[in-house]
Amino acid sequence: MISSQTKSNRYDFKAIEEKWQQSWAESEKYKAEEDDSKEKYYVLEMFPYPSGRIHMGHVRNYSIGDVVARYKRMKGYNVLHPMGWDAFGLPAENAAQKNNSHPAAWTYSNIDYMRNQLQQLGLSYDWGREIATCNAKYYKWEQILFIEMYKRGIIYQKTTTVNWCDNCQTVLANEQVIDGLCWRCDQAIKPRKMNGWFFKITDYAEELLADLDQLTGWPEKVLTMQRNWIGKSTGLACDFQVDGMDEKISIFTTRPDTIFGVTFMSVAAEHPLVDTLISGADNEQEIRDFIVEILEEKQQQTPEDEQVKKGIFTGKYCINPYNGEKVPVFIANFVLIEYGTGAVMAVPAHDERDFEFARKYDLPIKPVVIPEGETLDPATMENASTVGGTLVNSGQFDGVESEEAKKKVIDYAVQNGFGSPHITYRLRDWGVSRQRYWGAPIPMIHCDSCGIVPVPDEELPVMLPEDKDETGASCRPLHQRPSFIETSCPTCGAKARRETDTMDTFVESSWYFARYTCPAFTDAPLDKEKASHWLPVDQYIGGVEHAILHLLYSRFFTKVLRDLGYLNVDEPFTNLLTQGMVIKDGAKMSKSKGNVVDPHDLIQEYGADTVRLFSLFAAPPEKDLEWNSQGVEGCSRFLNRVYRFITSRPELKEQPALPAELSDTGRTLHRKTHQTIKRVSENIENNFHFNTAISGGMELFNTMTSVTDPEKDAQAEAGTVFQAVESLLILLSPMVPHFCAEMWQEIGHTSLVDDQPWPSYDAEAAKEDMLTIVVQVKGKVRSRLQVPADIDDEAIKELALSDANVQRFIDGQQVKKTIVVKKKLVNIVV
Ligand code: ANZ
Ligand code: ZN
């Protein structure tokens, strides 16, 4: 690809990078310690799953984080920048099965390999704080937290219908079911009833929602996604008596103003009253078959699927408590059991789904809210009318406006004791049980007489059995290992069974950022003093694919940890940067698409600094980065040019001083230097636009080469050049740290570029020179313009013609000619 000649022309990045990596490691350069004399800054990138080797997405994410860390250090902050491994999960089991090895062996060897790769990138981590979540030293504390949460009532067990994949022998989260198939193996999933452990995240729904308002450093789109996921709705919960039965159906509605328009009732197939409602019906079997049918369809479809609405009459009626009307009760496929009360008062005139349903089954449509200036005729309506208006056919509420009516209708239910204001969240409790091997064991014991008993503290951690199981297989799930299961009850001593579920791996990633503050602490999950010192994370950086669950769970855990007394913050991440994807040929780089560029090869060929530079230069962090091999070449060429510039000027080693009086050429460079300091600082500080910061550095370098061009007469003084080189190295050192460290010493410094304070610019020096231009009309001086020295003739002409005084003297006459005498004079002929 590259001829040996151009290759030999390159600086020896390998030697330089190894030298500095070793030096940083030996001196523990990036070790973080609490230090109250400096302001703390905690920058964190989402930790990787140790899949085997790093990919370009990692390079990008970690390069961005490293620039922030290095920049903040130079700005005088005490920076915490840790790294670790999200090390539990299914791929390790699959790999172990395939290679007949153990998930631990596979995982730890991947970690070793990837740590080495990250070190080759020169990332400034405090490696002393490294965490691997599969290590019992980590998950022991997670088990302790689990028990504390259980004792506080934040964790409970319940039976639910789960998505079960027979092939993977595991429960899948809804997000892991794609078109009814397992995301991993593409087999059809089946519903299955199981007992599982749940975190009561819904207890925190309101706080999780309200506190989003304080996250002003998060992208708006992520806040919106979080809000929608929590999905708060306010309205009325009220009871409809079942006609002729001693049963009530509770509904939840966000449109109490439409209550007089109810013409039927829809309940979910799983609704607990269904059985009672239909038993004894003439067509009971038909109804039961229908229920089975829609339940099966439900399993196959994802929430986004548009489904054909269908239902069946139960044979029963219920009574609208507001007007005493009897309406038929249907079982309908679009009513969700998980939401609200699992039953919906149907108002076809004002709800789209109900409208469709009513047309299909020929049910009455009764408009009760009339938008201003409209009439609604049920016979001809083609859609529901979903906007507000004035109430009609609504008894004592006639004439009231929708918003007002909502309140009045709710008040009426409260006064008469059949309903109350109600808030519903879309958010569900977090099911954390997994039936896999490679996860943190849930530290509970089941005793026939004592029920659920937490494993006593002194017996923690409940270690994941590392040996092969009875069958010789190394990663069978715990429920298939009798020797793990059998235990005795900590309370009564009788024979008991260990819980065999392991935790969702999202649990580990929900609090690792806190454990980084005290990774070696052995008394408790967290050292409150240290955690309080460092948290919240000032800048969190990661992929937008984690915008919902990981961030929501981390926020939830932060609040729980606060309530358990471990933390004194409400939110974990003050600022969030979601970086775009790395794409090639129009698609996200991925193994399955076969468009992967391996950073390992790039590092070998160009060096880590070039790879970092490219990933920072090719796009601003929040945008997608399009892979481009010329871009990498360009970055490599740039560094090589800077290298040759510096190394071919031995006079720089003398560290010449800035002359007291600058020549014109010198001033040009001096000005560019200060403009660049300003530009790079602002681009980093305001929005992390490293790409424009880097082009600023490149421009400065171009000016450096042009003002030292031996072909030209005027050359900048050595002192100005020296100052420009110094600034360039400092400004670029967060991005290309090895290169700048080496070049810094190349220009005679014994200090480290890392230890240089971030430069501030001199506003006076950065100012463009101004020129005074005389403007003449018909040969008489009529105005003087102040313009920047580098202005072009066209711009001067425009300025002159639009000048108020000049306009006055042109006085509406036609301008025949405008003559510009370079940088001196404009003559206007009319
Ligand atoms: C009557 C009504 C009339 C409704 C009307 C809407 C418009 P959001 O805003 O998303 O919270 N609903 C309630 N529980 C449901 C369930 N388990 N499955 C499916 N739909 C359910 O939606 C609240 C509305 O969704 C509720 O208000 C209810 O329909 C329906 F003109 O009640 B509404
Ligand atoms: Zn017991």
Side-chain angles (χ1 to χ4, degrees), residues 645-708:
F645 184 95
I646 293 173
T647 51
S648 63
R649 285 179 171 71
E651 69 272 18
L652 292 174
K653 276 203 174 60
E654 311 299 324
Q655 312 204 335
L658 204 61
E661 198 65 37
L662 291 172
S663 65
D664 279 356
T665 326
R667 181 140 359 88
T668 304
L669 179 57
H670 188 59
R671 184 189 311 122
K672 189 74 186 174
T673 300
H674 284 273
Q675 287 174 342
T676 306
I677 295 173
K678 176 171 192 277
R679 175 168 169 193
V680 173
S681 307
E682 286 174 356
N683 277 315
I684 295 183
E685 197 62 51
N686 299 345
N687 48 14
F688 296 139
H689 278 187
F690 309 123
N691 56 327
T692 36
I694 293 167
S695 27
M698 290 174 170
E699 273 180 30
L700 173 60
F701 179 68
N702 286 344
T703 307
M704 278 157 63
T705 52
S706 99
V707 298
T708 52

Side-chain angles (χ1 to χ4, degrees), residues 447 449-450 453 489 491-493:
C447 167
S449 33
C450 308
V453 186
C489 171
T491 309
C492 73

Side-chain angles (χ1 to χ4, degrees), residues 536-553:
V537 173
D538 296 279
Q539 183 65 56
Y540 198 33
I541 305 163
V544 75
E545 66 276 15
H546 292 298
I548 299 179
L549 293 184
H550 164 58
L551 293 173
L552 190 70
Y553 293 157

